[in-house]
Amino acid sequence: MPAENTMTKSASEKSWQQRAREISFATQAFIDGRFVNAASGATFDNVNPATGRVFCRVASCDTADVDLAVAAARAAFESGSWVNMAPKARKRILQRFAESIHKHKEELALLETLDMGKPISDSLKVDIPGAASCIEWYAEAIDKLYDEVAPTGPDALATITREPMGVVGAIVPWNFPLLMAAWKIGPVLAAGNSFVLKPSEKSPLTAIRVAQLAVESGIPEGVFNVVPGFGHTAGQALSSHMDVDCIAFTGSTATGKRVMQSAAQSNMKRAWLECGGKSPNIVLADYPDLERAATAAAYGIFFNQGEMCSAGSRLIVHERIKDALLEKVAAIGAKLKPGDPLDPATRLGAIVDEVQLKRVLEYIESGKTEGARVYAGGERKLENTGGYFVEPTVFDGVQPTMRIANEEIFGPVLATITFKDVNQAIAIANNVIYGLAAAVWTRDITIAHRTARALRAGTVYVNCYDADDITVPFGGFKQSGIGRDKSLHAFDKYTELKTTWIDLS
Ligand code: NDP
């Protein structure tokens, strides 16, 4: 009998920790169908947030690399190799690409978790399958969209057609690295554009890997390029590039404004912004199932370590039910103990890096200083691991003027504000610069409709939180952004409308 040898175990029998030690992966840029070092030879350290240790070094792209990637994307677009392919053929290739992401789900999930600290079970169940099915959905759409004929008089035929933009640049954040990229990749490529993607410097690995999978699936070289690097170098070069036709950004509101400025000051490229949020979750006293409302409120802020643009970070609750609701929310939070992201049982992983950890802890301190009460949590955890863990934290007694009630924390920190009547709740909800998501819980259908209409947010949930489907648009009112990801509306961002007027007189 052969001795038991861990190396002969199938991948699925190995622990994720063992797989993490054995995995090999690319860390270069991907330009014109090939892996390349940054032209300068520079690299940056990539830190595992669960240990605080550098686990790889990644090509640090700059203007020269972005120039090469944009030139490759432009040449691919001009060659027609992708844009002039019959929609049915593009569909098949994108379907293969989506299948390939599905097939490499475990490898991609592991890279995502090592890169940004989210629990492996979330990477496996949410991020990677979500990215694959997003691309699949846009692939399916391509050969089912028709253009328009305008209702002109009989002496003319005027067609209104959608044409791809050309070269689309995308800059994405680290909280759902591949999923946020997929919300761009799907419609951008389905519409026939060429693409240059700059992932966050905190989470570049899955973007690099899927670019390779894209080419292996049949997407022509030069159509899909990835330039890892910093925002102020690679990101800035992409958003101010004179030969990029459109920039699709997801990230903070402050950076979004810079991207918009760069777009305006260069070639007036289209700039689409998916930015931050401080979303209100309003619970009325008549809602009968507090357990359900508490579960949604807890996951609405604690899921993904609270690193969610749509996080329900302000719990706006009727004063009569506040104590009962908070007790339940805190009990759920107490069960979500931070732990090793590579353990499949872990539900709360590490905060993405030391900078973000400090930011979250600083907000917790500011809440205390301004007079709010820590109802639950409030501490850094597992410091001995070297990783960046924070326990689920609930503040009570928050006033709408406090920083923790207005600024996006991007961590597992809930601010609870009470109200006496629904109009007051709506006024509090709308009184921030953001307008990404909002929720209202009530059994009264009239109040539900009236409140949903009054809330200034791109998505309003009624008696639920964070319900999601690729078929519905996602994006923000006010300073939460411009434009929508997901659904067929995303094509509006990556196509130009052309009128062709044919004289028939
Ligand atoms: P940042 O704004 O810090 O960064 C987002 C991206 O922009 C990163 O790739 C970053 O690069 C890059 N960047 C930074 N500076 C510049 C610059 N001057 N020019 C061009 N690009 C730049 O956001 P985070 O990565 O911290 O992500 C969290 C934010 O994203 C939160 O505000 C969250 O709400 C928002 N978000 C919004 C979503 C939505 O759909 N509305 C969805 C998900 C997140 P690098 O990090 O490498 O320096």
Side-chain angles (χ1 to χ4, degrees):
M1 291 254 296
E4 191 177 315
N5 176 352
T6 49
M7 296 309 288
T8 62
K9 283 183 178 175
S10 73
S12 59
E13 287 173 86
K14 292 180 185 174
S15 72
W16 288 100
Q17 286 85 351
Q18 188 176 351
R19 286 196 237 182
R21 285 191 293 275
E22 293 171 2
I23 193 170
S24 60
F25 48 86
T27 55
Q28 291 167 291
F30 193 82
I31 297 175
D32 209 9
R34 278 172 290 282
F35 286 119
V36 288
N37 292 327
S40 67
T43 59
F44 61 83
D45 290 346
N46 195 6
V47 173
N48 177 349
T51 62
R53 285 197 288 275
V54 175
F55 74 105
C56 65
R57 290 192 170 76
V58 179
S60 186
C61 292
D62 205 336
T63 308
D65 311 286
V66 171
D67 284 347
L68 288 173
V70 172
R74 176 62 62 196
F77 187 74
E78 296 301 332
S79 78
S81 61
W82 181 243
V83 62
N84 290 340
M85 208 180 259
K88 207 194 281 182
R90 271 211 312 271
K91 172 177 86 172
R92 287 207 196 95
I93 291 175
L94 281 179
Q95 284 172 327
R96 268 208 303 275
F97 178 34
E99 277 161 27
S100 174
I101 294 175
H102 268 303
K103 207 171 111 203
H104 293 86
K105 182 173 84 172
E106 297 197 348
E107 174 196 346
L108 291 165
L110 181 54
L111 292 179
E112 209 77 304
T113 289
L114 288 173
D115 237 358
M116 65 71 67
K118 68 171 65 201
I120 187 73
S121 48
D122 290 347
S123 300
L124 275 173
K125 282 190 213 133
V126 180
D127 293 70
I128 311 304
S133 41
C134 168
I135 291 166
E136 199 172 10
W137 193 83
Y138 283 103
E140 285 290 340
I142 310 178
D143 61 353
K144 294 163 192 74
L145 295 172
Y146 292 74
D147 287 320
E148 299 165 37
V149 176
T152 57
D155 287 346
L157 174 67
T159 60
I160 303 165
T161 50
R162 280 175 187 275
E163 295 192 358
M165 292 262 174
V167 175
V168 176
I171 300 175
V172 295
W174 45 264
N175 60 337
F176 293 89
L178 187 55
L179 187 57
M180 291 303 98
W183 287 4
K184 319 285 188 213
I185 297 168
V188 166
L189 293 186
N193 297 286
S194 294
F195 190 51
V196 180
L197 171 63
K198 195 213 82 71
S200 168
E201 131 274 337
K202 299 174 179 122
S203 57
L205 298 180
T206 48
I208 295 170
R209 178 67 171 126
V210 297
Q212 186 186 26
L213 296 182
V215 169
E216 286 170 8
S217 305
I219 293 174
E221 290 172 359
V223 169
F224 189 151
N225 308 275
V226 176
V227 283
F230 290 93
H232 61 276
T233 52
Q236 169 68 27
L238 193 58
S239 53
S240 57
H241 203 288
M242 291 300 288
D243 202 27
V244 170
D245 301 293
C246 164
I247 190 89
F249 170 82
T250 302
S252 64
T253 294
T255 310
K257 289 179 184 180
R258 279 198 284 274
V259 166
M260 200 174 177
Q261 239 169 2
S262 301
Q265 283 167 358
S266 52
N267 60 344
M268 209 199 263
K269 60 177 68 63
R270 282 51 178 152
W272 303 113
L273 311 172
E274 297 289 339
C275 299
K278 190 75 189 174
S279 300
N281 184 12
I282 303 174
V283 187
L284 271 61
D286 73 334
Y287 187 72
D289 188 348
L290 277 197
E291 197 64 50
R292 192 175 136 85
T295 304
Y299 284 95
I301 181 66
F302 301 140
F303 179 66
N304 209 47
Q305 302 72 244
E307 295 163 336
M308 275 195 306
C309 52
S310 58
S313 50
R314 291 183 295 151
L315 180 60
I316 302 178
V317 53
H318 193 280
E319 59 180 13
R320 205 163 65 231
I321 57 165
K322 188 260 295 177
D323 288 337
L325 186 67
L326 272 201
E327 197 182 319
K328 291 180 191 301
V329 172
I332 296 163
K335 285 189 201 150
L336 296 172
K337 298 212 183 311
D340 179 0
L342 290 173
D343 180 344
T346 295
R347 292 287 163 271
L348 199 76
I351 300 291
V352 73
D353 68 359
E354 196 172 4
V355 174
Q356 185 65 14
L357 171 80
K358 285 189 175 147
R359 185 182 148 95
V360 172
L361 295 175
E362 196 266 316
Y363 271 113
I364 292 174
E365 281 314 305
S366 104
K368 292 182 201 165
T369 310
E370 289 193 276
R373 180 167 76 93
V374 176
Y375 184 92
E379 301 292 332
R380 180 178 181 180
K381 291 284 166 186
L382 303 174
E383 206 168 338
N384 59 330
T385 60
Y388 315 122
F389 299 90
V390 176
E391 62 185 335
T393 297
V394 179
F395 272 103
D396 189 11
V398 176
Q399 296 304 315
T401 49
M402 293 178 180
R403 282 181 66 210
I404 57 167
N406 286 280
E407 297 173 22
E408 186 181 42
I409 300 174
F410 229 53
V413 182
L414 181 64
T416 310
I417 305 169
T418 53
F419 67 88
K420 289 184 200 308
D421 78 78
V422 66
N423 290 330
Q424 187 195 2
I426 293 167
I428 294 168
N430 284 339
N431 194 25
V432 290
I433 62 164
Y434 299 109
L436 191 56
V440 57
W441 298 75
T442 176
R443 73 199 302 186
D444 184 320
I445 193 161
T446 306
I447 293 179
H449 276 295
R450 283 183 174 278
T451 309
R453 198 177 281 176
L455 289 168
R456 304 278 299 150
T459 301
V460 178
Y461 306 107
V462 177
N463 297 340
C464 58
Y465 203 90
D466 261 340
D468 188 36
D469 198 73
I470 187 69
T471 56
V472 293
F474 185 80
F477 280 29
K478 301 194 278 182
Q479 294 187 40
S480 284
I482 299 171
R484 295 291 181 267
D485 274 336
K486 299 168 60 195
S487 83
L488 294 181
H489 289 282
F491 283 122
D492 298 342
K493 301 202 291 190
Y494 308 122
T495 53
E496 292 279 21
L497 281 186
K498 177 180 277 181
T499 297
T500 307
W501 187 282
I502 302 162
D503 191 321
L504 302 179
S505 61

